[in-house]
Amino acid sequence: MAKRLVAAMAKSLDPYFDLILDDDVSENRWPRVLDYYKKAGHQSIMCQALNKQRFDDLKHLETKNGWTLARSINTGVTNPSSFTGCHAGDLESYQLFRPFFKDVIEKYHVGFDMEKHKHVTDMDVNKITEKLEEHAKKKIVSSRIRCA
């Protein structure tokens, strides 16, 4: 991991913008550093939900958009203090890597059982009742929807 980060810095990559992959993740291999994280005590939810067998079972799958399990876990591999430590690259990720994401979601939302409960999503903009001031509308260039 350190070799790739040093190489990225040498190329003047922006670690806040450019994709920097762990060495093992970039080769779609089990990230050996996870073995250390698992022994160290502090573990992200990703680290708790993933073991080598599950990684090996899912590592060859890829969504239509090219998202892989390795890409999903890279954030937690390169940032071990991350609480969640993973993210889905697209909607298909949730189904394709379901054994992994099911555990992550149920660990994050204690008491939520994906087999019994259904998450309700309501993206109807007509239900937004707050009115933004004109000066605020001019400043907003994007919005982020966070799901966890």
Side-chain angles (χ1 to χ4, degrees):
M1 177 171 60
K3 290 187 298 184
R4 188 167 293 280
L5 185 55
V6 170
M9 293 167 83
K11 293 179 187 175
S12 299
L13 295 177
D14 181 346
Y16 296 104
F17 179 75
D18 295 306
L19 177 62
I20 299 172
L21 294 172
D22 169 81
D23 291 334
D24 287 328
V25 167
S26 70
E27 298 294 326
N28 203 26
R29 294 186 305 245
W30 169 252
R32 291 167 289 177
V33 71
L34 288 187
D35 295 327
Y36 169 76
Y37 296 162
K38 287 178 176 289
K39 293 176 188 171
H42 174 76
Q43 294 182 24
S44 64
I45 293 175
M46 173 275 294
C47 201
Q48 295 170 36
L50 191 64
N51 59 40
K52 188 172 184 328
Q53 182 62 54
R54 179 172 280 169
F55 180 84
D56 288 340
D57 290 347
L58 301 173
K59 74 179 185 177
H60 299 293
L61 302 176
E62 188 173 306
T63 70
K64 291 176 195 131
N65 294 320
W67 200 258
T68 63
L69 181 64
R71 291 284 304 274
S72 292
I73 66 169
N74 185 62
T75 186
V77 173
T78 57
N79 302 292
S81 62
S82 171
F83 178 74
T84 307
C86 62
H87 60 279
D90 53 28
L91 185 60
E92 186 184 357
S93 297
Y94 289 106
Q95 289 305 314
L96 194 60
F97 310 119
R98 182 178 173 83
F100 169 67
F101 279 113
K102 179 181 183 299
D103 282 357
V104 168
I105 291 166
E106 289 178 353
K107 286 179 185 304
Y108 187 92
H109 298 284
V110 178
F112 183 80
D113 182 335
M114 288 183 60
E115 304 303 323
K116 295 179 185 174
H117 303 103
K118 176 152 176 54
H119 180 265
V120 177
T121 301
D122 187 349
M123 302 293 279
D124 183 354
V125 296
N126 295 317
K127 293 182 181 176
I128 299 173
T129 58
E130 299 298 319
K131 299 292 181 193
L132 290 176
E133 300 288 330
E134 285 303 314
H135 71 278
K137 289 179 182 178
K138 291 178 185 175
K139 293 180 181 179
I140 297 173
V141 293
S142 69
S143 178
R144 175 180 173 203
I145 299 173
R146 182 175 179 192
C147 61

